[in-house]
Amino acid sequence: MKLTINGEEHELPAATLAEALALLEYEGDWLATAVNGELVHRADRENHHLRDRDRIEVLSPMQGG
Amino acid sequence: MPQFYGTELRSRLLLGTARYPSPAILAEAVRRSGTDIVTVSLRRETAGGRQRGAFFELIRELGVRVLPNTAGCHSVSEAVLTAKMAREVFSTDWIKLEVIGHHDTLQPDVFGLVEAARILTGEGFDVFPYTTDDLVVAERLLGAGCNVLMPWCAPIGSAMGPQNLPGLRAMRAEFPDVPLIVDAGIGRPSHAATVMEFGYDAVLLNTAVAGAADPAAMAAAFAAAIEAGHMAYHAGMLEPRDMAVPSTPVIGKAVFS
């Protein structure tokens, strides 16, 4: 299915958010995820089913002021 | 010592983590500053990315509290979602709330700020709002559930120092019991000392330290200035006078002619 992840288009055979992250080799306990503008908690990624054209944001800590 | 949302702190200096020449220099600056709060941000992670994990580990190893920010957010919805994502990563209810209203000055959108603050305090966040020195906005932020205010003293990263001294003094006088932190615009230790002499509770710095030739030494200089300003506020300072007043007593002066 078509997914937009951090602004980039991807075609991925991923049923859940956890599968999409694994296919793109996202890992680590420092990630935060949102789908279509809503936070998806770490514990909910495995059960969060994706739909075609979902917009996913994957954020991580960065230096800031 | 200052208390923010029930947490007592050892230091009156909050330090940003951006723009340092290296992670080692950042760590040394944090140590020399004596701070126990550092600000961090969230940005898009690249697929398969590992570098951010190293930064996350560095922050954890510093042993200080993390105050995540919503830097760069220009809308209420962006800021609220970023705050929620920051809580997920850093396991803290604290959020430095920025809703930017102007591209060039990075002036806060105070209308969006109040709206976002209301939403976030309703969801259990402890909001540290980056605001202006406007007293009416400050009142609205307190009404929205904020228990700390963070007025700018000049545009972010400008190093101009306090541009509205009467405004900052008025804010302190108007809200004597609210923790006030000057956030943004400080360039040198004397700027920090000035606002601390007004009775501000703390100062948040980043570029003034990170951009110095020796960031760790500058962090120590700021820590000393902030402490000096705070001590002076409580010691009670003289008001300026128009005329000279001899410091040495005139009584008993010898008459030689």
Side-chain angles (χ1 to χ4, degrees), chain B residues 190 192-200 225-226 228-230 232-234 237:
Chain B
S190 55
T194 297
V195 298
M196 294 304 292
E197 287 173 3
F198 291 169
Y200 275 70
I226 288 166
H230 174 70
Y233 171 68
H234 285 288
M237 286 164 289

Side-chain angles (χ1 to χ4, degrees), chain B residues 3-26:
Chain B
Q3 275 203 5
F4 303 139
Y5 291 102
T7 298
E8 186 160 328
L9 299 154
R10 293 164 298 165
S11 167
R12 297 179 180 276
L13 193 165
L14 290 73
L15 196 60
T17 56
R19 297 173 172 267
Y20 291 82
S22 72
I25 292 174
L26 162 62

Side-chain angles (χ1 to χ4, degrees), chain B residues 3-7 94 121 125-129 145-149 179:
Chain B
Q3 275 203 5
F4 303 139
Y5 291 102
T7 298
W94 284 15
T121 58
F125 281 90
D126 296 330
V127 176
F128 294 65
C146 298
N147 289 323
V148 170
L149 296 171

Side-chain angles (χ1 to χ4, degrees), chain A residues 9-31:
Chain A
E9 300 265 328
H10 292 268
E11 180 77 43
L12 293 177
T16 65
L17 178 57
E19 287 177 24
L21 295 178
L23 284 169
L24 292 175
E25 298 185 330
Y26 280 107
E27 56 183 60
D29 61 357
W30 55 84
L31 300 177

Side-chain angles (χ1 to χ4, degrees), chain A residues 41-42 57 60 62 64-65, chain B residues 17 41 44-45 52 69 88:
Chain A
H41 289 290
R42 189 178 296 130
E57 290 287 328
S60 63
M62 193 181 151
Chain B
T17 56
S41 194
R44 283 174 166 173
E45 175 68 281
R52 301 284 181 77
N69 69 25
E88 172 90 353

Side-chain angles (χ1 to χ4, degrees), chain B residues 4-256:
Chain B
F4 303 139
Y5 291 102
T7 298
E8 186 160 328
L9 299 154
R10 293 164 298 165
S11 167
R12 297 179 180 276
L13 193 165
L14 290 73
L15 196 60
T17 56
R19 297 173 172 267
Y20 291 82
S22 72
I25 292 174
L26 162 62
E28 182 63 8
V30 168
R31 196 184 66 75
R32 296 276 304 274
S33 73
T35 187
D36 37 17
I37 301 176
V38 296
T39 58
V40 297
S41 194
L42 282 183
R43 286 291 182 267
R44 283 174 166 173
E45 175 68 281
T46 51
R50 300 285 182 275
Q51 285 189 338
R52 301 284 181 77
F55 175 65
F56 191 49
E57 279 307 313
L58 170 67
I59 295 299
R60 279 208 272 221
E61 286 166 9
L62 290 173
V64 291
R65 284 190 76 102
V66 170
L67 175 60
N69 69 25
T70 63
C73 291
H74 285 256
S75 71
V76 172
S77 58
E78 269 184 310
V80 168
L81 179 56
T82 301
K84 290 178 181 175
M85 295 177 85
R87 177 153 72 177
E88 172 90 353
V89 171
F90 297 107
S91 304
T92 176
D93 291 330
W94 284 15
I95 190 74
K96 176 185 163 182
L97 182 61
E98 294 186 28
V99 183
I100 299 299
H102 193 275
H103 284 280
D104 290 337
T105 63
L106 300 180
Q107 183 161 354
D109 167 2
V110 294
F111 307 97
L113 181 68
V114 172
E115 190 183 340
R118 185 171 291 116
I119 294 168
L120 290 171
T121 58
E123 300 207 14
F125 281 90
D126 296 330
V127 176
F128 294 65
Y130 160 63
T131 184
T132 66
D133 50 34
D134 188 299
L135 297 183
V136 180
V137 172
E139 194 72 64
R140 297 285 165 87
L141 287 167
L142 297 176
C146 298
N147 289 323
V148 170
L149 296 171
M150 298 211 298
W152 70 350
C153 78
I156 294 173
S158 69
M160 289 195 288
Q163 297 297 292
N164 182 8
L165 297 177
L168 289 172
R169 269 199 293 255
M171 199 166 202
R172 179 69 287 175
E174 183 72 15
F175 306 109
D177 301 321
V178 177
L180 297 180
I181 304 168
V182 166
D183 174 17
I186 298 274
R188 45 185 66 194
S190 55
H191 297 155
T194 297
V195 298
M196 294 304 292
E197 287 173 3
F198 291 169
Y200 275 70
D201 295 278
V203 169
L204 198 163
L205 302 164
N206 189 339
T207 313
V209 171
D214 184 344
M218 188 59 79
F222 267 106
I226 288 166
E227 189 58 25
H230 174 70
M231 290 170 71
Y233 171 68
H234 285 288
M237 286 164 289
L238 292 185
E239 289 304 315
R241 302 165 192 183
D242 289 336
M243 300 297 288
V245 179
S247 49
T248 303
V250 178
I251 293 173
K253 181 178 175 297
V255 178
F256 295 116

